[in-house]
Amino acid sequence: MAFSPGDMSFSLDLRQASLYHLDFLQTVDKKIELHGGQAVEYAIQRYEKLWLPLAAKYSDRVLVAPLDIEWVWHCHLLNPLAYEKDCQRVVGTVVDHRILDRERRKQSLQESRVLWRREYPSVPFEADGPISPWFDSEFASVTKISYNLIAAVARQKIFYYQVSLPHYRDEKFLNQALVRYKRFLHLKKKHPHVFIVPCYDIDLIWHTHMLHPFSYRHDTVSILSYLFNHDDSVNDRRAGSKLTVSDARTRHLWKKTFNEPFAQSGAMFRGEPPAGKLFHMDAADFAALVTKQTTVLLESARVVGLPEQSQVQYKLKLWYNTGYQNFNRALYVSDSIATVRGSPRHMTNDIRLNANFTFDTKYNDVVMVDLLQKSGRFCLGVTEEIGSARLRMLDKIQALGNGRGVTMQDYVDMGDGVGLSYSGV
C-alpha cells in the first residue's frame, strides 16, 4: 500500500511553529556574543545550575528562559536522547519546552522573571555580560550534562545560515516541507538501521518538532515505536565520509520508495557561512547605499563673481535626473527645477526661487547647475556656457534621519571665479 502523508499526524502545528523557530534563530543570530566564547560558557552554567531546576519545579507552567539560556536549551533539545538523559541526571525528570510566537514569549518571559527573582534574588535574570562574580571557571569538571553544548552551539549557528533565506517562510514551501518530513519518517520506519540524511527543508521541520520534547517523544514513538534521535555532529562532507555515503543511500531509497527525486530546490547545502570573508558594512556604508527620497524646497540663490557688464544677459538653470526609460538602452529623463534670466545686477542679488522638487537618490544624487550668457540681439545673439557645477544632495539628505528636516546653506564653485550661493530646506 502506497504511503499517504494524510495518514500521519502530529500533536502540534509544525508549520506554524517553524515560523516561530525561524524568528528565534534570527534573534540569536544578531547576538554575536552568543555565537561562542565565555558568554556561552556562562549561559551553560546558568542553564544547568539555575534554569533546569526552576523549570522542573514549575513544570505545570510554560516558562520561557532569558535569551542566553534559551539558546543553550534549544541546542540541547536537538539531541533528544542526550537531553532526556541529562535532564534526569540534573533534576530527576525531563523538562518540557515549547517554542512560542513573539507576543506569547514576551508574556511568558515576564512570568519567568518573577519566579527567577523569587528563587535567585542575587542572580540577574538577564545575562549581565560574560564576566560575572557568579561564573565558575571550574564548572566544566563537575557538570552533569554529558552533551557537548559548546560544540552544539557552533553547529547551530551554521544551521541558521542554511535556512535563513526568505523562501523558508513561504507557506507553500513550508507545507511541502511538512509533507517531505512525513515521508522522511516513513522512510526511517521502513529502514530503521539506515542513517537517513535530510535536506534543509526537512531538517527545519525536524528541529522544530524536537523543540517540543514531550510532543516529539509521543509522535515518534507512535510512528516508529521508539524515540527518534538526531545527531547533527555528522557534518564531514568529504568523499567517502559517513555523511556523503548516507546521503547517496537516502537519495536512492527516496526515489525507490516515493518515485520522486530527494533533492529539493532551495533546500540544499549552501556552503559554509561567509563570516570573515565578506566586507563588513558599517552604518555609514549602509547609509551610502540605500535609496533616499525627500522633498526639497530651494528658497533662494545668488551668483557670485559675475563681471558688471550691463549689456550681457545671463540664464541660470537648475535641473536633475528623475529616472530613466529603457528603449534598448538606458535613457535618463531630466526635470527642470528652476530657470532664471537676468542682468549681472539681478543675478548677484538674492533670487527668490521657492522651487519644490522630490529628490530620489535611486537615480541621481546631484542637482545640476548651468550658467549661460547671451550676447547680441535676437537671432544674431550668441549663447555660451560660462560655468557649471553639481550640488551633491546625498550629504544633505543624509542629515534627514531624524525625520524633522534640515536647513541647508552652501556655496558651490562653477569655475572661472564664478560660484553659486544657495539656501533651502
Side-chain angles (χ1 to χ4, degrees):
M1 184 176 179
F3 169 73
S4 171
D7 296 336
M8 189 182 295
S9 62
F10 303 115
S11 51
L12 69 153
D13 184 350
L14 287 174
R15 187 190 65 81
Q16 187 63 50
S18 293
L19 294 174
Y20 305 154
H21 182 191
L22 289 170
D23 285 342
F24 174 74
L25 291 176
Q26 184 180 48
T27 299
V28 172
D29 187 63
K30 295 176 182 177
K31 300 291 184 179
I32 298 177
E33 66 273 16
L34 295 180
H35 295 176
Q38 198 169 40
V40 172
E41 294 176 21
Y42 181 37
I44 292 171
Q45 290 190 36
R46 282 160 47 84
Y47 169 62
E48 179 176 334
K49 288 188 174 183
L50 304 175
W51 180 257
L52 283 179
L54 183 71
K57 182 176 180 179
Y58 296 97
S59 59
D60 58 327
R61 312 186 191 193
V62 180
L63 298 184
V64 171
L67 187 62
D68 65 320
I69 296 176
E70 186 74 23
W71 176 225
V72 170
W73 195 7
H74 172 283
C75 296
H76 198 187
L77 287 160
L78 296 180
N79 190 302
L81 289 179
Y83 178 73
E84 290 196 354
K85 181 180 70 174
D86 290 338
C87 278
Q88 290 288 352
R89 292 180 63 184
V90 175
V91 293
T93 187
V94 179
V95 179
D96 198 14
H97 174 275
R98 299 175 201 173
I99 191 160
L100 306 175
D101 63 80
R102 291 179 180 176
E103 188 58 36
R104 290 177 63 201
R105 173 176 167 77
K106 183 178 179 180
Q107 295 171 359
S108 181
L109 198 62
Q110 183 56 37
E111 181 181 6
S112 299
R113 184 179 288 106
V114 171
L115 296 176
W116 178 287
R117 289 173 177 171
R118 183 188 303 166
E119 296 289 326
Y120 315 117
S122 63
V123 182
F125 180 67
E126 277 84 13
D128 54 351
I131 305 299
S132 168
W134 189 82
F135 183 78
D136 180 3
S137 59
E138 303 297 326
F139 174 75
S141 63
V142 296
T143 178
K144 295 180 181 179
I145 293 178
S146 61
Y147 191 55
N148 188 338
L149 288 172
I150 292 177
V153 165
R155 291 194 297 271
Q156 289 312 302
K157 174 65 176 67
I158 296 173
F159 173 80
Y160 176 63
Y161 173 71
Q162 305 300 330
V163 299
S164 59
L165 296 172
H167 62 267
Y168 276 87
R169 296 177 180 271
D170 179 76
E171 182 178 357
K172 183 177 180 180
F173 182 85
L174 285 175
N175 285 337
Q176 183 61 25
L178 183 57
V179 170
R180 281 164 51 83
Y181 176 57
K182 291 180 178 181
R183 289 175 177 160
F184 175 76
L185 292 177
H186 176 75
L187 198 64
K188 183 63 179 177
K189 184 176 182 178
K190 287 191 64 177
H191 305 278
H193 302 297
V194 176
F195 187 79
I196 307 293
V197 179
C199 294
Y200 280 99
D201 60 330
I202 298 170
D203 219 13
L204 173 63
I205 304 294
W206 192 10
H207 283 207
T208 302
H209 203 180
M210 286 183 282
L211 294 178
H212 304 78
F214 286 11
S215 294
Y216 184 74
R217 166 171 274 282
H218 172 272
D219 293 341
T220 58
V221 169
S222 297
I223 297 166
L224 305 174
S225 301
Y226 60 90
L227 177 64
F228 185 22
N229 198 35
H230 173 263
D231 182 6
D232 66 342
S233 66
V234 181
N235 47 34
D236 181 358
R237 296 180 179 275
R238 290 175 296 183
S241 67
K242 179 179 179 180
L243 183 60
T244 56
V245 171
S246 298
D247 178 72
R249 183 82 183 276
T250 301
R251 291 170 184 262
H252 170 73
L253 293 175
W254 189 281
K255 177 67 174 177
K256 181 179 178 181
T257 304
F258 305 116
N259 195 31
E260 66 177 28
F262 174 64
Q264 176 79 348
S265 178
M268 310 310 290
F269 182 61
R270 298 175 62 194
E272 296 295 329
K277 300 176 184 177
L278 298 182
F279 175 75
H280 175 70
M281 292 179 61
D282 58 21
D285 296 322
F286 182 76
L289 290 174
V290 297
T291 296
K292 302 169 184 65
Q293 296 177 325
T294 187
T295 298
V296 179
L297 171 61
L298 200 57
E299 295 180 316
S300 64
R302 177 169 55 89
V303 181
V304 178
L306 285 179
E308 296 183 2
Q309 299 179 28
S310 58
Q311 300 302 315
V312 178
Q313 293 291 307
Y314 291 95
K315 180 166 71 172
L316 179 68
K317 294 174 57 179
L318 294 98
W319 57 279
Y320 68 110
N321 286 327
T322 60
Y324 65 88
Q325 296 174 343
N326 188 6
F327 300 101
N328 295 323
R329 65 175 184 172
L331 176 65
Y332 277 94
V333 179
S334 62
D335 198 1
S336 174
I337 298 172
T339 301
V340 181
R341 296 177 176 85
S343 65
R345 182 177 180 181
H346 175 66
M347 290 292 187
T348 54
N349 290 317
D350 283 341
I351 306 166
R352 302 302 298 176
L353 299 175
N354 291 326
N356 277 289
F357 63 99
T358 299
F359 205 86
D360 187 342
T361 61
K362 178 180 180 181
Y363 303 110
N364 202 355
D365 67 349
V366 297
V367 168
M368 307 299 297
V369 181
D370 296 328
L371 183 64
L372 311 172
Q373 79 171 24
K374 183 176 181 180
S375 57
R377 293 187 176 185
F378 307 112
C379 61
L380 299 177
V382 177
T383 299
E384 63 176 316
E385 182 180 287
I386 63 169
S388 65
R390 295 185 174 193
L391 309 184
R392 297 197 173 278
M393 300 299 296
L394 183 59
D395 294 338
K396 304 298 181 182
I397 297 173
Q398 206 81 305
L400 297 174
N402 56 22
R404 295 190 296 271
V406 64
T407 299
M408 52 184 174
Q409 292 181 328
D410 209 345
Y411 171 85
V412 62
D413 185 8
M414 290 191 289
D416 292 333
V418 179
L420 181 74
S421 177
Y422 64 94
S423 65
V425 291

